[in-house]
Amino acid sequence: MNSFTAELTVDRTPEEVFAAITDVRAWFSESITGVAKAAGDAFSFIDKSIPTSRIRVTELVPGRRVAWHVEDAYLAFIDQHDEWNDTRMTFDITPDADGTRLRFTHHGLTPDRACYQDCSRGWTSCVQSLGTLLTTGTGEPIPKSAAPEGHPAG
């Protein structure tokens, strides 16, 4: 089964793409706590459908690659709430004739998973937000207001 993948090419250097990826609050979610700047760092985010999560940075190769491992996530919108647990995400950065190509893959997010439709739409939006951050200087992360009622980030 193929894992979900999204790609984009931007007129930026691989180093600029790498720096943007590690600035997770600027493109992924405003509710992120923790950091993603060094291997071993961990961060969490929440929104209405994912009230808890913990993701650890497992690999950082400046200008080339970022990898994350989902240690814990609770997907409220499907019956298999722990479907993301022990999955991983990679950001592969490659220079090309038009600038830099970024290939995002959520390994383990496959079409047979219950969350595939919603999660692939969410990741597509996040990767587009990262592209917007790179081309305009301002991303479109999941806003804090998307947090569940009564949650501290909401």
Side-chain angles (χ1 to χ4, degrees), residues 60-136:
L60 290 174
V61 180
R64 299 203 42 218
R65 184 176 173 96
V66 174
W68 298 341
H69 175 257
V70 180
E71 294 182 337
D72 184 45
Y74 183 90
L75 305 177
F77 62 98
I78 58 172
D79 291 337
Q80 186 71 31
H81 301 299
D82 63 351
E83 198 168 83
W84 275 21
N85 290 356
D86 287 325
T87 62
R88 61 191 179 90
M89 295 87 165
T90 56
F91 302 81
D92 291 303
I93 304 163
T94 310
D96 75 10
D98 297 320
T100 300
R101 183 171 46 105
L102 170 66
R103 179 182 176 97
F104 168 83
T105 304
H106 185 159
H107 304 272
L109 178 59
T110 56
D112 63 329
R113 297 291 186 127
C115 79
Y116 186 81
Q117 292 285 0
D118 290 330
C119 292
S120 61
R121 276 193 299 271
W123 279 125
T124 297
S125 178
C126 287
V127 171
Q128 289 171 345
S129 173
L130 180 55
T132 301
L133 174 63
L134 284 159
T135 57
T136 70

